[in-house]
Amino acid sequence: MTNKLNMLEKLSGRSTHLADDLENIMPRRRALALLAGGATLPVLVSCGGSGSDVVSAVTGACTILPEETNGPYPADGSNSANGSLANVLITSGLIREDMRESFGGLEGTAEGVPLEMELTVVDAANGCQPLVGYLVYAWHCTADGLYSVYNMEDQNYLRAAGVTDENGKVKFTTVFPGCYMGRMPHIHFEVYPSVESASEYSERVLCSQIAFDDDTALSVYENVPEYEDSIRPFNQISLESDNVFGDNTDEEFAAQTMSISGDYSAGFTGTLTIALDPTAEPVLNDMGPGGPGGPGGPGGPGGPPPGDMRMEPPEGMTPPGEASSSPTPEE
């Protein structure tokens, strides 16, 4: 374990703190096994998607989730927030199950309808076998459509990382995401091949997004006061006009859509299978100077994020999801 920690200290001259987090929340032997990649894999895995199986234990076939943009609010080292490089991957406390509270010395709790998520990461190039010891970093907006670190520099809640167990699973407790102008409700996530590699976005093997069915989202937005600001943006968006999900195949969108049980009064439980090819070359969402993942626009790598996405775009600006000759904000 000491050698592993020393390795982390040397990454980009910074400590990621993620190995410390892992050892603090689970027995030392278990943490060591995950860091070393020493856990054993079951022979077959069977998982469900949104209303249909996306992984079959009989055929070993699964739908690879499409690569998506990390958007303007990733805090993964690809852009700046409030004048500084935003990277929670190197902040102590990121590895945790409960995403609702701020960490790393900040205080605050995100309000909203509870959502218990179980994500299963599998190898689509190897019979959909579970991928053990992979790190999943997830983040999303608040009930009223804002992002910590960027819109709220004194908070970093609704961001967390987890390490997949021997069944490829990782769990998070969060709140149902809100909706803002130009996007359907969604949760961002990035997958890294190990704790050691998770120091910045360039080391990821997949960046994608989780979608939600319309009926579930509408039940939350119409009945829970915290989500009042989400109703209007939600009523103005559709799958066809969403500038991220809109160009995906039906199979891909089904694989991205979380299978949900529960209701807005008691909270939800959701599951999703994340199928990826760990040998594939990662896509870093290069949108050019100033865009998320771009090569150093104003304000640091990737440039500054746009403003409050709950608002209507200024006159003359193409709304997200409509045709434009230049990159549109979020995503």
Side-chain angles (χ1 to χ4, degrees), residues 6-60:
N6 288 341
M7 183 187 304
L8 290 177
E9 294 288 343
K10 295 177 182 178
L11 284 172
S12 302
R14 300 166 297 185
S15 169
T16 67
H17 299 287
L18 297 183
D20 294 327
D21 291 349
L22 184 61
E23 191 170 3
N24 287 336
I25 64 175
M26 65 176 57
R28 181 180 180 86
R29 182 175 298 178
R30 170 73 179 125
L32 181 61
L34 286 175
L35 285 169
T40 58
L41 300 180
V43 176
L44 293 172
V45 57
S46 178
C47 305
S50 56
S52 62
D53 288 340
V54 294
V55 179
S56 169
V58 177
T59 64

Side-chain angles (χ1 to χ4, degrees), residues 286-299:
D286 186 350
M287 296 176 65

Side-chain angles (χ1 to χ4, degrees), residues 109-135:
T109 302
E111 301 295 332
V113 176
L115 170 62
E116 301 281 346
M117 297 194 300
E118 181 182 88
L119 309 178
T120 304
V121 183
V122 301
D123 185 349
N126 186 29
C128 306
Q129 298 287 342
L131 288 170
V132 181
Y134 276 57
L135 183 135

Side-chain angles (χ1 to χ4, degrees), residues 11-317:
L11 284 172
S12 302
R14 300 166 297 185
S15 169
T16 67
H17 299 287
L18 297 183
D20 294 327
D21 291 349
L22 184 61
E23 191 170 3
N24 287 336
I25 64 175
M26 65 176 57
R28 181 180 180 86
R29 182 175 298 178
R30 170 73 179 125
L32 181 61
L34 286 175
L35 285 169
T40 58
L41 300 180
V43 176
L44 293 172
V45 57
S46 178
C47 305
S50 56
S52 62
D53 288 340
V54 294
V55 179
S56 169
V58 177
T59 64
C62 45
T63 301
I64 294 179
L65 265 63
E67 188 79 28
E68 309 284 21
T69 176
N70 60 358
Y73 311 108
D76 60 1
S78 62
N79 67 11
S80 298
N82 307 300
S84 300
L85 184 68
N87 189 358
V88 297
L89 292 170
I90 57 173
T91 302
S92 179
L94 181 66
I95 293 183
R96 65 228 179 98
E97 284 195 9
D98 197 332
M99 303 170 61
R100 294 172 296 181
E101 295 186 358
S102 287
F103 62 98
L106 298 180
E107 296 182 359
T109 302
E111 301 295 332
V113 176
L115 170 62
E116 301 281 346
M117 297 194 300
E118 181 182 88
L119 309 178
T120 304
V121 183
V122 301
D123 185 349
N126 186 29
C128 306
Q129 298 287 342
L131 288 170
V132 181
Y134 276 57
L135 183 135
V136 179
Y137 165 47
W139 71 97
H140 65 87
C141 71
T142 61
D144 54 354
L146 300 177
Y147 282 84
S148 67
V149 179
Y150 296 84
N151 304 123
M152 300 169 289
E153 59 183 299
D154 61 339
Q155 301 294 342
N156 55 18
Y157 48 49
L158 303 184
R159 301 178 185 273
V163 182
T164 58
D165 63 16
E166 61 272 15
N167 295 309
K169 296 182 183 298
V170 62
K171 296 180 180 180
F172 296 111
T173 299
T174 187
V175 298
F176 195 86
C179 183
Y180 50 86
M181 201 63 64
R183 285 304 319 279
M184 297 176 68
H186 62 283
I187 292 178
H188 294 265
F189 68 88
E190 293 173 338
V191 182
Y192 293 82
S194 65
V195 173
E196 297 94 326
S197 66
S199 60
E200 64 174 25
Y201 76 107
S202 61
E203 303 297 327
R204 70 197 184 204
V205 292
L206 176 68
C207 177
S208 195
Q209 298 182 23
I210 299 170
F212 297 88
D213 69 271
D214 288 352
D215 290 343
T216 298
L218 191 60
S219 73
V220 173
Y221 301 158
E222 289 187 337
N223 292 286
V224 182
E226 289 90 344
Y227 293 87
E228 180 180 2
D229 288 337
S230 293
I231 297 175
R232 182 165 173 258
F234 181 75
N235 287 333
Q236 295 183 4
I237 191 67
S238 67
L239 176 59
E240 291 73 25
S241 63
D242 186 278
N243 64 344
V244 173
F245 297 136
D247 61 355
N248 294 343
T249 66
D250 291 344
E251 183 182 25
E252 287 173 333
F253 186 67
Q256 288 177 281
T257 304
M258 179 164 281
S259 179
I260 289 279
S261 61
D263 58 55
Y264 68 85
S265 59
F268 298 103
T269 298
T271 60
L272 186 84
T273 295
I274 300 172
L276 58 88
D277 180 355
T279 66
E281 189 71 21
V283 178
L284 298 182
N285 305 129
D286 186 350
M287 296 176 65
D308 188 344
M309 291 301 296
R310 294 175 302 172
M311 309 303 292
E312 292 280 8
E315 184 176 356
M317 179 180 177

